[in-house]
Amino acid sequence: MVPHMGRKKVIYLALDERPCNFNFPKFLYKDSCLEIVSPDIEIMGKNKIPGNFEKIKEFLLESTKDAYGLVISIDTLIYGGIVPSRIHYLSVEELESRLNVIREIKRNNPKILIYAFSLIMRCPQYSLSVEEPDYYDECGYEIFRKGFLTHKEKLGIISDNEKEELAKIHIKDEYLNDYLNRRKTNLSLNLKAIDLVKEKIINFMIFPQDDAAEYGWTAMDQEVVRGKIYNERLHLDILMYPGADEVGLVLLSRMQNYIKGVMPKVYIKYPAVTSCMIVPVLEDRYLDTSIKYQIIASGGFVVSSVEEADIILAVNVSANKMINSPTQEKPRDLSVLANYVEWFEFIKYYAKKKPVMIGDITYLNGGSTLLLHDLVKHNLEYKLAGYAGWNTAANTLGTVIAQGFNYLINGNTKSHLEFLALRYVEDVGYCSIVRGKVTKMLDQYENVNYFDVSKNLEVIEGLVRKELEAFVNEFFVTNKPNLVTVKLPWKRMFEVELEINL
């Protein structure tokens, strides 16, 4: 790789306007060699409302004329965002026309470096229409099970009991046809995107698997996409692994490493010999396999010894499974079969010698309160190269690896420290403590629930701020994070928008 000097203009089209996609890159790379330019958030759409294609197209064509690079969500370009990709009624012809905007960008600026990502459409394992078609309230779980069992039947590994279950699943034809037709459309566009890599219009691409499972509609689509990737010998230029909301950070990390001409070497530390073999919740492969994809996608690679590593990734996880519990329980997998004490002592020792980043994936949807307590107790909270512990394992790992690689290049900047503080307050404070606590208070207010607090938004946001301030005062002794912004961007309890300063 040839290093490039100076600050480079990089256009970034996020997966949607949520803070994890839209804000995290701006916060993390504030003091980096990347001058990140994004469209106005007002044209990005919101939840089920798609982004404004014409204005996004106009922004992309104009801003990329003199840009060094482009990191682009194809879902946002052609569908208007992650949720609109699951509910649209756009034709294949219209979508192909929108995809061709990337060709036009390359024609206008042949030297531009383009990294792109496009999701394999998910199939949630529940009946809820908040981010899916309306009929998901009635038959979402049934759609998932039908796909899961159909796939097993296709592979010849379905049991007799499963055959009986499959025969009994009833879904209205109009619902199932609508769902499968959209999957077919989206799959065809993913195959078209592969052509852009083959033609060297897109330089590198990721197909993230949002809420993946080993079998089902999503897994069957993956087989088709993977087949074309290998048939075209593009398997080193196109990666496919679990993830979604962290991919923007990952590709920006890859671009910064390319600009600087570096490939960070990573040593992975687990708390149990079996930890690497768990399959995280909502994913479809061994943890160690996914971690290595995340590292290589971010522009680094894995090494087998601490001595040769540039940075250490310490993964906080149990011995046999990711724990799907908001109560921070300590089952035998975690408290007996995994050696947290040895793992933490390793961090204490090596944090004085090498950069250490922590991927906190013990629990789904939140960081470990025990770990944060120990980091603060030993004055390590602001001495890490990275920390994350939010949502899925993939979301956490892509985020923390991007942080760590950014730290290797730019050091202990103010933006690095504030992003660390943001992760502690959001991932541990909000996700593991405050979200559940405030949710229990919602019964006191009329016309609000977990999925819709719009009728009392300011009051609920005020409660969240109050509880987060209590969390900060409880967990931090010095260098307490200051809450500048506290919002519920989708007017529900799942995600929060925070801005932190120190």
Side-chain angles (χ1 to χ4, degrees), residues 73-91:
S73 163
I74 289 177
D75 294 272
T76 298
L77 173 64
I78 67 175
Y79 307 117
I82 183 173
V83 176
S85 73
R86 306 169 190 155
I87 59 175
H88 71 89
Y89 288 97
L90 297 164
S91 68

Side-chain angles (χ1 to χ4, degrees), residues 473-492:
N473 288 328
E474 178 184 350
F475 276 79
F476 291 86
V477 179
T478 58
N479 296 320
K480 294 186 177 184
N482 179 50
L483 300 173
V484 179
T485 300
V486 179
K487 295 180 180 178
L488 299 174
W490 277 11
K491 300 178 183 179
R492 64 181 189 181

Side-chain angles (χ1 to χ4, degrees), residues 367-410:
S368 166
T369 56
L370 174 68
L371 174 57
L372 180 57
H373 173 272
D374 290 340
L375 289 173
V376 173
K377 180 180 178 179
H378 294 279
N379 195 30
L380 290 169
E381 71 273 30
Y382 294 116
K383 294 179 180 175
L384 296 177
Y387 169 88
W390 66 287
N391 212 11
T392 67
N395 294 154
T396 281
L397 292 165
T399 302
V400 74
I401 291 165
Q403 286 179 74
F405 287 1
N406 184 59
Y407 177 89
L408 286 177
I409 292 172
N410 299 301

Side-chain angles (χ1 to χ4, degrees), residues 36 40 77 151 165 201 216 225 230 257 376 389:
I36 297 175
D40 192 303
L77 173 64
H151 191 190
E165 180 187 352
I201 292 168
V225 174
Y230 277 92
N257 283 326
V376 173

Side-chain angles (χ1 to χ4, degrees), residues 145-146 149-150 153 158 160-171:
R145 285 300 291 175
K146 187 174 182 67
L149 297 174
T150 297
E153 183 178 49
I158 191 170
D160 290 339
N161 288 339
E162 287 173 330
K163 285 181 180 178
E164 291 181 12
E165 180 187 352
L166 179 58
K168 292 177 181 178
I169 293 175
H170 176 69
I171 305 165

